[in-house]
Amino acid sequence: MEELFPKLPLASWIDLLIEWLVDHFEPFFEGIATGLEGFVEGIVVGLGFIPAIIIIILVSLLAWKVCNWKIALFTLIGLFLINNLGYWENMIDTIALVITSVAISIILGIPIGIWASQSETVGKIVTPILDFMQTMPAFVYLLPAIFFFNIGVVPGVVASVIFAMPPTIRLTILGIKQVPEDLIEATQAFGSTTGQKLLKVQLPLALPTIMAGINQSIMLALSMVVIASMVGAPGLGADVYRAVTQLQTGTGFEAGLAIVIIAIILDRLTQNIGKSKKGGTA
């Protein structure tokens, strides 16, 4: 079998492609890296300028308004615990990485989802790409990211975006396609243009589903913080990774607990924002 079907040099082809991209598009990648580093640093400096107690109170009040007093109390206690354990600054680094990744996922993902929902051809092209993005092990994304952007926060952000973007695209497509056909026919009967139909009918009704996709992107971006720490990304993931390599069970549990608290807070906030949007459109 080996003589009849020699092994394809796929690994060599991929290596050559990466080298070609690095050689010919280095200024482009440097520009992206500089922009992403500046954006993340801006979030870190901005959040770091505000005293921890102010952030804790404001986020707890937001949780009370958006969710309920139980989630607000959990938020208050959880954030106080993170601050007490000494992980506040690293939490800010993690939040900055997640915000940047999710923002890029939304900026790129929602337009792609809208385009794919309106064009069957685009949908057929996008779907296998999303399958590839979601099933490829996240560690693999770090390898080309290191070549393109060196080590640090940028390859972590890029890998997080690739890993976290598919749910936003998929649920944007799903939300728009689930809009009842009779409503679409009614808008067409009144002479609405494609743009009016999309902006005034399809997107408002699809918003709860789109918010669910954003929620999933946030969770996936948070799940990448430990993996991103392997290429030099700062934050709670670095604490977990250091604890694992040094067999510090207690430290690893503390940092992991901080990630869990942030994940629960962000999950409940985005879920309830999606529900409130659904209630508003009903």
Side-chain angles (χ1 to χ4, degrees):
M1 283 294 284
E2 291 183 3
E3 293 180 358
L4 291 175
F5 301 99
K7 178 184 175 182
L8 289 174
L10 184 59
S12 300
W13 293 345
I14 297 296
D15 289 338
L16 288 173
L17 175 62
I18 297 297
E19 289 177 11
W20 184 84
L21 289 172
V22 171
D23 291 340
H24 290 80
F25 295 94
E26 186 175 358
F28 173 72
F29 293 125
E30 287 180 353
I32 292 177
T34 302
L36 287 178
E37 284 178 358
F39 188 78
V40 173
E41 186 64 27
I43 295 173
V44 171
V45 171
L47 292 177
F49 182 76
I50 306 171
I53 185 64
I54 301 298
I55 294 178
I56 291 171
I57 292 172
L58 290 176
V59 176
S60 300
L61 290 174
L62 177 64
W64 193 355
K65 179 176 175 58
V66 173
C67 306
N68 53 54
W69 69 268
K70 295 177 183 177
I71 301 299
L73 182 62
F74 174 84
T75 301
L76 185 68
I77 296 172
L79 292 180
F80 262 122
L81 179 61
I82 291 173
N83 190 35
N84 177 264
L85 294 174
Y87 293 103
W88 187 262
E89 291 184 1
N90 288 348
M91 184 201 73
I92 295 298
D93 289 331
T94 296
I95 292 294
L97 190 151
V98 171
I99 289 174
T100 305
S101 303
V102 174
I104 296 172
S105 297
I106 292 171
I107 292 170
L108 296 179
I110 291 180
I112 292 172
I114 293 171
W115 189 19
S117 71
Q118 304 298 306
S119 170
E120 203 170 315
T121 303
V122 175
K124 289 179 180 178
I125 295 171
V126 167
T127 300
I129 295 174
L130 295 178
D131 294 336
F132 178 88
M133 291 168 67
Q134 287 188 292
T135 53
M136 178 67 72
F139 291 96
V140 178
Y141 298 136
L142 297 178
L143 296 173
I146 292 171
F147 279 102
F148 295 146
F149 305 107
N150 210 337
I151 62 171
V153 70
V154 176
V157 170
V158 171
S160 297
V161 168
I162 296 172
F163 191 63
M165 193 191 302
T168 297
I169 299 176
R170 285 189 188 277
L171 289 177
T172 299
I173 297 171
L174 179 65
I176 292 174
K177 287 190 172 181
Q178 281 185 336
V179 174
E181 278 296 325
D182 55 347
L183 289 177
I184 302 298
E185 291 171 1
T187 57
Q188 291 173 340
F190 282 104
S192 297
T193 63
T194 302
Q196 290 173 330
K197 178 179 67 177
L198 178 66
L199 294 175
K200 295 184 178 180
V201 178
Q202 290 177 306
L203 282 180
L205 291 174
L207 194 55
T209 307
I210 294 173
M211 285 301 302
I214 293 172
N215 172 272
Q216 291 302 305
S217 291
I218 292 172
M219 295 300 102
L220 289 175
L222 258 176
S223 72
M224 280 292 293
V225 296
V226 177
I227 297 175
S229 68
M230 298 177 67
V231 292
L236 295 170
D239 292 316
V240 174
Y241 181 63
R242 192 180 307 113
V244 170
T245 56
Q246 298 176 5
L247 298 179
Q248 298 174 340
T249 306
T251 302
F253 181 82
E254 286 182 348
L257 180 62
I259 294 174
V260 170
I261 290 170
I262 296 170
I264 292 173
I265 292 170
L266 292 176
D267 177 64
R268 298 302 184 271
L269 285 174
T270 51
Q271 272 190 12
N272 282 277
I273 289 172
K275 288 178 182 176
S276 66
K277 293 293 183 183
K278 186 174 182 180
T281 56

